[in-house]
Amino acid sequence: MEYNVHTLPNGIRLLHVPSASTISHACIIINTGSRDEPEGKAGLAHFIEHLIFKRTEKRSTNQILNRLESVGADLNAYTTKEYTCVHASFLNPYLDRTLDLFNDIIFHSTFPEEEMDKEKSVILDEIASYLDQPEEAINDDFEDMLFAGNALGNNILGTTESVSNFTREDVLNFRRANYRTNEIVIAVLGNYSLKNVVTKGTKYFADVKENTPSQNRIKPANLNPKTTTIYKPIMQAHCILGTQTYSTHHQNKAGLMLLNNYFGGNGMSSVLNLQIREKYGIAYTIESNFSPLSDTGIFSIYFGTDQEKYVKALSLIFKEMKRLKDNPLNELQLQKAKNKFIGQIALSEENRIGLIISMAKSLIDHGKIDSLEQVFEKTNKVTTKEIAQIADEVLAPEQLNIFTFSPILE
């Protein structure tokens, strides 16, 4: 897909992606997330993401929320380990309105104490709700173990204690240290010329004060694998097996993405779904996942099952891992896996807001954006030998952490 990048004097980059649709999509991505939080301040990045919608120098909460919704647009935001993102979908005439609002909430929020207190209560309810969903909560607890001693292990929502103790000074200090203008991308996908996007982007963001402090991320250590079981008042067992693996810059990233998709990724035809759910009827949900980060990555396998089937499910997973290691994919199997993965990538481009966010992240991570053809080329270059090597490295049982939520037995 065609794209253009224009960098403002303060370092903020404008990403322009032309589209003939009557619907436009835009986002502002900031290269900061929960891993950048100071010790004892878990959840601060997410807390700020909530607060930016509460009050600015010129708008009340209601005015912020109605600014786009009043014209039928959709506005939302999220926080991850490494990113903060605000995004919107809207009819083409409302680009000015959208960029103006992005500027206002990101750079002119006032963080009043009374709004902070209200939002703390909202997030504490969110934490409580999340803890009631073991299939969600287990992922955070697993990553806390995987990255023990490193901020990457922080729960994105934070803890009851950390959220309760946030101060306005914490908020301002975090923004000052992490909202770096040279690590901000404003991306627009819509029926606009490059000149139009640059003119409007300059209008709303050129006056933002340059802010480029150094980023002080600490790469997590590779810890010895652990097996941990936590007993909870739940009906089913939930388990994650996983390890640290390749970063987004690693040469084997494309290979592991392909292998993960074949083994337990999207779709019902993955090895794990066919062999464990369909063949034995053991687990309602079973999947694998690969999440590359800037300096490491996470490969994991999740399943939920009845407690009496837990041991068999685990043994079947190890059996399939061993089968894949002992009998690497042949050329025909690999080509089928590539065809499936490439088709899924192509279909995902239909999600236009997801596409523009992905392109903005790529610009931050790599300084460039691969075309669909380049992505396909990288996938097609993966060889059976590389897949075998990756399987040997990543699917080694002795290096996998095993983290389980188990029902409390009567």
Side-chain angles (χ1 to χ4, degrees), residues 383-397:
T383 66
T384 53
K385 182 178 180 181
E386 288 169 339
I387 288 290
Q389 175 213 331
I390 293 168
D392 278 339
E393 291 180 4
V394 177
L395 301 180

Side-chain angles (χ1 to χ4, degrees), residues 272 275-276 280 282 311-321:
L272 291 179
Q275 294 299 317
I276 294 171
Y280 292 95
I282 287 182
V311 173
K312 183 171 184 180
L314 207 56
S315 67
L316 287 172
I317 290 171
F318 283 121
K319 178 181 176 181
E320 293 306 322
M321 290 166 56

Side-chain angles (χ1 to χ4, degrees), residues 202-273:
T202 301
K203 175 182 176 181
Y204 293 108
F205 298 99
D207 289 341
V208 173
K209 185 178 179 181
E210 182 177 0
N211 182 44
T212 57
S214 59
Q215 190 176 59
N216 298 310
R217 288 179 175 169
I218 300 172
K219 184 176 179 178
N222 275 301
L223 306 175
N224 291 328
K226 293 177 63 177
T227 297
T228 303
T229 301
I230 297 177
Y231 293 92
K232 289 178 169 283
I234 52 180
M235 299 298 292
Q236 280 196 320
H238 299 264
C239 179
I240 291 184
L241 303 82
T243 184
Q244 287 191 51
T245 184
Y246 313 130
S247 76
T248 192
H249 305 288
H250 198 282
Q251 62 182 6
N252 285 342
K253 184 184 80 167
L256 182 51
M257 291 181 73
L258 182 59
L259 178 63
N260 169 70
N261 192 61
Y262 170 81
F263 190 61
N266 292 335
M268 299 179 67
S269 62
S270 71
V271 170
L272 291 179
N273 195 71

Side-chain angles (χ1 to χ4, degrees), residues 127-318:
I127 292 171
S129 174
Y130 204 68
L131 292 175
D132 281 340
Q133 304 174 60
E135 67 277 10
E136 300 289 343
I138 191 171
N139 190 67
D140 285 320
D141 286 1
F142 169 76
E143 290 182 5
D144 187 28
M145 177 183 73
L146 187 66
F147 299 118
N150 188 283
L152 265 176
N154 287 356
N155 185 320
I156 292 170
L157 298 180
T159 66
T160 300
E161 181 182 7
S162 65
V163 171
S164 299
N165 291 322
F166 289 152
T167 66
R168 189 168 183 273
E169 184 179 5
D170 291 333
V171 169
L172 296 175
N173 287 342
F174 183 87
R175 277 168 42 92
R176 192 177 302 114
N178 294 287
Y179 279 42
R180 302 182 315 282
T181 49
N182 60 326
E183 294 288 349
I184 293 175
V185 170
I186 294 142
V188 176
L189 185 154
N191 194 12
Y192 316 106
S193 66
L194 172 61
K195 181 180 178 181
N196 193 0
V197 170
V198 170
T199 298
K200 293 183 188 303
T202 301
K203 175 182 176 181
Y204 293 108
F205 298 99
D207 289 341
V208 173
K209 185 178 179 181
E210 182 177 0
N211 182 44
T212 57
S214 59
Q215 190 176 59
N216 298 310
R217 288 179 175 169
I218 300 172
K219 184 176 179 178
N222 275 301
L223 306 175
N224 291 328
K226 293 177 63 177
T227 297
T228 303
T229 301
I230 297 177
Y231 293 92
K232 289 178 169 283
I234 52 180
M235 299 298 292
Q236 280 196 320
H238 299 264
C239 179
I240 291 184
L241 303 82
T243 184
Q244 287 191 51
T245 184
Y246 313 130
S247 76
T248 192
H249 305 288
H250 198 282
Q251 62 182 6
N252 285 342
K253 184 184 80 167
L256 182 51
M257 291 181 73
L258 182 59
L259 178 63
N260 169 70
N261 192 61
Y262 170 81
F263 190 61
N266 292 335
M268 299 179 67
S269 62
S270 71
V271 170
L272 291 179
N273 195 71
L274 288 176
Q275 294 299 317
I276 294 171
R277 174 177 170 163
E278 297 300 327
K279 186 174 181 178
Y280 292 95
I282 287 182
Y284 175 72
T285 301
I286 183 162
E287 60 192 14
S288 65
N289 186 62
F290 168 44
S291 301
L293 300 166
S294 59
D295 53 7
T296 185
I298 306 167
F299 175 79
S300 62
I301 300 167
Y302 163 81
F303 70 92
T305 189
D306 294 334
Q307 181 63 35
E308 61 268 22
K309 299 174 183 176
Y310 168 81
V311 173
K312 183 171 184 180
L314 207 56
S315 67
L316 287 172
I317 290 171
F318 283 121

Side-chain angles (χ1 to χ4, degrees), residues 50 54 117-127:
H50 274 235
K54 295 307 167 185
D117 290 339
K118 283 192 291 185
E119 211 54 34
K120 285 179 184 180
S121 179
V122 169
I123 293 175
L124 292 177
D125 285 344
E126 187 178 359
I127 292 171

Side-chain angles (χ1 to χ4, degrees), residues 364-377:
I364 286 178
D365 288 339
H366 306 288
K368 64 184 182 69
I369 302 165
D370 284 342
S371 67
L372 205 55
E373 290 73 21
Q374 288 171 314
V375 174
F376 294 167
E377 183 181 358

